[in-house]
Amino acid sequence: MSNKKILVPVDFSDQSLIALDQSYNLAREYKAEITLLYVIEDNGFISKFFSKQQDEDIKKQVEENLLKLAAETEKKTGIRIGTMVARGSVYEKIVEVADMIGALFIIMGSNGTINLKKKFIGSNALRVVREANSPVITIRGKHHRNGCKNIVLPLDLTKETREKVNFALEIAKLGNGAAIRIVSVLFTTDEFVVNRLTRQLQQVKTFIEKEGVECTAEIIKGIKGEETLAENIIKYANKVDGDLLMIMTQQEVDFTQRFIGSSAQEIINTSDIPVISIIPSMKRNIESVKPY
């Protein structure tokens, strides 16, 4: 069994199976095993209506379905598939299992439902992104290319830019290689700010190209009050046929609990292009490209 694992939470909905399909290429590139996780949501009020036997029957049925899915996936892809069933809060168990197996990535559908319980939509997806110590790829759209040709990299040139660029380079160098499409959105016409950002974006573009990765850089001038930052980024990502949109979440200075900015939340909730969310200074068990 591989010591590298990618966690894919599933609830057998179409969206969670789409997320599973999107995990195959990463698993092959990292020579990783996929772990399928089903969380039986522990709802105290509803659970009171089930006997112990009924509870065991539900768990047994879930395990059988999960093993069947794992066997079918292994046969189709040749990738080693493990399974786990957990009981409790959906997002808490996803984060807990990801930490337990040292997941390289968590790849999850963002709007799966089962038995009228919304498992992966809204707050659960955002909570996983906020709490996880692994990069989280959320899959909302229905149709995706096989593989990754264009990585959309929004930059605001903060102190986390270097880390974000290195992460994008790491993903871009996998397989046949992907291009990186840098985008920055400005809501000002101040010539000094525009010129400074243009110079800095060119420096980042030059660095990426020296690493052997195709790169473009574009500044979008947004109209304040008419379009949000997220709307501009998603519009650009669609224009360049993006396959993966990379965002970086933030962390509170005085608290261990992380938070997600409003633009990041909007991107996660509305982008039909898969979104990968990473945390500044995220410790990961995979080799990083050279820093600059």
Side-chain angles (χ1 to χ4, degrees), residues 72-278:
E72 291 172 349
T73 304
E74 275 195 1
K75 185 177 180 181
K76 179 173 70 173
T77 65
I79 299 168
R80 179 71 183 229
I81 311 291
T83 64
M84 293 187 70
V85 177
R87 181 184 297 280
S89 161
V90 173
Y91 82 89
E92 287 179 353
K93 289 302 175 183
I94 292 173
V95 173
E96 181 183 316
V97 171
D99 286 343
M100 183 175 70
I101 67 175
L104 298 179
F105 299 93
I106 301 169
I107 303 179
M108 59 187 294
S110 61
N111 66 346
T113 60
I114 185 170
N115 293 335
L116 303 181
K117 294 179 183 178
K118 295 182 179 180
K119 287 186 175 292
F120 299 121
I121 124 181
S123 62
N124 272 320
L126 291 174
R127 283 175 172 175
V128 171
V129 170
R130 186 186 68 194
E131 303 289 344
N133 293 308
S134 305
V136 180
I137 300 177
T138 46
I139 311 287
R140 181 176 176 274
K142 300 291 185 184
H143 306 289
H144 308 284
R145 271 203 296 248
N146 183 22
C148 182
K149 293 184 178 180
N150 290 304
I151 298 170
V152 178
L153 185 64
L155 291 183
D156 59 7
L157 301 179
T158 61
K159 61 184 179 181
E160 290 87 12
T161 292
R162 179 179 302 180
E163 188 173 358
K164 196 174 181 182
V165 169
N166 282 338
F167 200 118
L169 275 170
E170 181 181 301
I171 302 296
K173 289 181 177 181
L174 296 174
N176 296 323
I180 296 176
R181 310 300 181 189
I182 302 172
V183 59
S184 284
V185 181
L186 280 181
F187 289 97
T188 178
T189 56
D190 186 302
E191 190 174 342
F192 175 79
V193 174
V194 173
N195 289 340
R196 178 173 173 269
L197 182 62
T198 302
R199 288 194 303 271
Q200 291 177 314
L201 283 185
Q202 185 57 46
Q203 289 173 358
V204 176
K205 179 176 179 290
T206 299
F207 166 74
I208 290 173
E209 290 173 336
K210 284 182 178 178
E211 290 287 327
V213 173
E214 180 187 341
C215 181
T216 60
E218 186 172 338
I219 295 175
I220 296 173
K221 294 180 181 179
I223 303 174
K224 198 168 185 178
E226 292 188 15
E227 296 176 312
T228 66
L229 175 65
E231 286 172 339
N232 277 284
I233 290 172
I234 291 171
K235 187 186 298 184
Y236 173 82
N238 286 317
K239 184 182 79 171
V240 299
D241 292 326
D243 299 298
L244 187 65
L245 209 167
M246 182 174 291
I247 62 175
M248 185 169 277
T249 62
Q250 300 166 316
Q251 190 169 5
E252 294 278 13
V253 176
D254 299 323
F255 303 94
T256 57
Q257 186 181 39
R258 302 182 185 106
F259 72 94
I260 307 173
S262 59
S263 293
Q265 289 188 43
E266 186 178 348
I267 288 172
I268 292 167
N269 283 333
T270 61
S271 173
D272 284 335
I273 295 170
V275 178
I276 181 168
S277 303
I278 57 177

